[in-house]
């Protein structure tokens, strides 16, 4: 059996492709750099993070992209002997899709194509496609033609902003879209039609979409047509897979799916989902990726194995040799020339401006830059939280000169949601430790604990998370840990803790940060970073 989710923690909007015996899933990375995560499996059970293809400034520059924007919904395909990756870079979100939200309804999305002969090689310079909407997907027809489908955005008053799925031909020789665009599917009454993917089977064109929004009302829908430009008839069950109005289902928010066929002809759907905290109902692990086997009925439509459309925690695995991957080490020592693959940073394609692995060999040096939450140049390096219960720790060597310099251990969702255990300095206490918390759902936007004086020299910082309970500790030297008396709310590090209409599609990270509001780039050195998942501790 395959145990879901297969990609734990913030790994949303999956796009899957099989090439020979290998399976690859590309997922969204939003404002985190490098862009797009590609995971690899040979048995659909065991997965490893393999690469991030958008790693150069000429491919992706997200400085200034708001929280929740950046790289949305990649589409990964393989044809003509190479890999094709389509992605969106969202520059403006547009906040009036939800009642009570502020801001205009205008959005900016730019869609691009990159290619590579190998999945983990150097990907091409991007080819600009269009900006008419998001969730672009490339379909390679069996007659050699290629087609782009994407969600169409309509900002006009009184219109459906999710205006349907638009189709347009892509000319490979010219490297651009050609011909007229056509709306081929306007969706079902639940609306918010997005995430299109096209397939061809037995002479039918099948169109998979996501509807109902990427929250609790999410659903995977399907329609088909004998011609690629429609008309498309809806699946007789409306939803192929959903947890909409199904509180009994462990995997909530299910939708945004893509299909893959094994060498033996079995069909699997990958889709995003969320696992709510049992006490608070918030998904601190963000939108994760699950997989489920589908079967084709005599009527030519796919369904889940029991026909219910429920997402499941387990699904039958294909008859393939098991391929397990080595477990990731608990400790990252920062001894190599590159960051360990689990770590990312925010927005900038110029990492040398915010960190170095050579300035102090064996340590990660962060250069103090802009404040936590800056959308331009923020020195924050972190990894995903991938379990509801875990511990993380690091050792910090940092001697701040004044109150505008800070560095430490951060539990981060975005600029409006974080808990930050940091070392700073002021004229009253000197070098000290305290926590800054930023909450999106309380009358006070931010709060601070009382400062705790520190001696000169390194300090170990630690966090323990059990569901919605978060505790910080520290020590200097080899003595006992000192635990801060406050118990912090880990559930704010979730999509659900938000102000109306704000983009909230990512997940919780834990990592290291450094700020210098004076602009002098004060350095902070982190010798190692531990991340260990564990069972719940009462």
């Amino acid at each position: 059996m395959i145990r879901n989710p297969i990609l734990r923690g913030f790994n949303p909007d999956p796009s899957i492709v099989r090439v020979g015996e290998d399976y690859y899933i590309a997922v969204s990375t939003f404002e985190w750099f490098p862009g797009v995560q590609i995971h690899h499996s040979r048995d659909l059970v065991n997965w490893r993070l393999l690469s991030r293809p958008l790693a150069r400034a000429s491919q992706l520059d997200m400085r200034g992209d708001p929280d929740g924007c950046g790289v949305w919904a990649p589409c990964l395909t393989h044809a003509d002997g190479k890999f094709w990756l389509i992605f969106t870079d969202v520059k403006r979100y547009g906040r009036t899709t939800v009642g009570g939200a502020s801001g205009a309804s205008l959005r900016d999305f730019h869609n691009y194509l990159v290619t590579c002969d190998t999945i983990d090689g150097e990907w091409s310079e991007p080819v600009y496609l269009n900006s008419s909407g998001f969730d672009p997907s490339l379909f390679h027809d069996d007659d050699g033609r290629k087609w782009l489908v994407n969600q169409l955005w309509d900002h006009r008053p009184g219109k459906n902003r999710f205006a349907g799925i638009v189709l347009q031909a892509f000319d490979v020789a010219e490297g651009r879209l050609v011909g007229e665009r056509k709306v081929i599917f306007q969706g079902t009454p639940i609306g918010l039609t997005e995430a299109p993917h096209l397939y061809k089977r037995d002479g039918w064109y099948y169109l998979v979409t996501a509807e109902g929004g990427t929250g609790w009302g999410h659903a995977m829908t399907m329609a088909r047509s004998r011609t690629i430009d429609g008309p498309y008839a809806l699946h007789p069950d409306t939803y192929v897979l959903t947890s909409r109005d199904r509180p009994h289902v462990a995997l909530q928010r299910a939708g945004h799916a893509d299909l893959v066929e094994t060498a033996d002809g079995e069909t699997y759907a990958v889709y995003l989902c969320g696992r709510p905290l049992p006490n608070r109902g918030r998904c601190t692990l963000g939108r994760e990726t699950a997989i489920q086997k589908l079967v084709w009925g005599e009527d030519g439509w796919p369904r889940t194995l029991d026909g219910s459309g429920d997402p499941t925690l387990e699904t039958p695995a294909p008859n393939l040799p098991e391929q397990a991957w080595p477990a990731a080490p608990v400790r990252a020592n920062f001894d190599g020339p590159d960051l360990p693959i689990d770590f990312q940073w925010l927005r900038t394609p110029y990492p040398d401006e915010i960190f170095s692995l050579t300035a102090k060999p064996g340590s990660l040096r962060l250069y103090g830059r802009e404040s936590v939450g800056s959308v331009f140049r923020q020195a924050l390096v972190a990894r995903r939280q991938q379990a509801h219960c875990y511990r993380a720790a690091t050792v910090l060597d940092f001697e701040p000169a004044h109150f505008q310099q800070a560095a430490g251990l951060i539990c981060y969702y975005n600029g409006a949601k974080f808990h930050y255990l940091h070392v700073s300095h002021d004229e009253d206490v000197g070098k000290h430790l305290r926590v800054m918390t930023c909450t999106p759902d309380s009358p006070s936007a931010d709060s601070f604990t009382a400062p705790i004086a520190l001696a000169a020299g390194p300090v170990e910082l630690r966090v323990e998370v059990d569901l919605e309970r978060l505790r910080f500790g520290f020590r200097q030297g080899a003595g006992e840990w000192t635990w801060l008396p406050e118990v912090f709310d880990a559930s704010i590090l979730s999509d659900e803790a938000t102000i109306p209409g704000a983009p909230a599609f990512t997940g919780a990270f834990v990592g290291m940060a450094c700020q210098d509001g004076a602009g002098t780039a004060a350095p902070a050195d982190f010798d190692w970073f531990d991340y260990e998942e564990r069972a719940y501790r009462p």
Side-chain angles (χ1 to χ4, degrees), residues 352-356 359 365-369 379 514-516 521-524:
D352 291 347
E353 294 183 350
I354 61 172
F355 71 83
S356 172
R365 171 164 290 182
L366 297 187
Y367 297 105
R369 296 299 183 186
C514 185
Q515 299 79 41
D516 188 344

Side-chain angles (χ1 to χ4, degrees), residues 319-332:
N319 184 22
L320 294 171
E322 182 180 7
Q323 175 64 69
W325 307 108
V330 169
R331 175 160 295 185

Side-chain angles (χ1 to χ4, degrees), residues 16-24 40-44 47 76-83 117 119 260-266 318-321:
I16 188 168
V17 64
R18 178 178 66 87
V19 182
E21 298 178 347
D22 296 287
Y23 296 85
Y24 304 102
H40 172 225
S41 177
R42 289 194 165 178
D43 56 11
L44 296 184
W47 294 84
L76 180 65
T77 56
H78 187 268
D80 310 327
K82 61 184 176 182
F83 291 93
D117 292 338
I119 194 70
V260 70
E261 191 172 282
T262 69
D264 292 336
E266 296 178 293
N319 184 22
L320 294 171

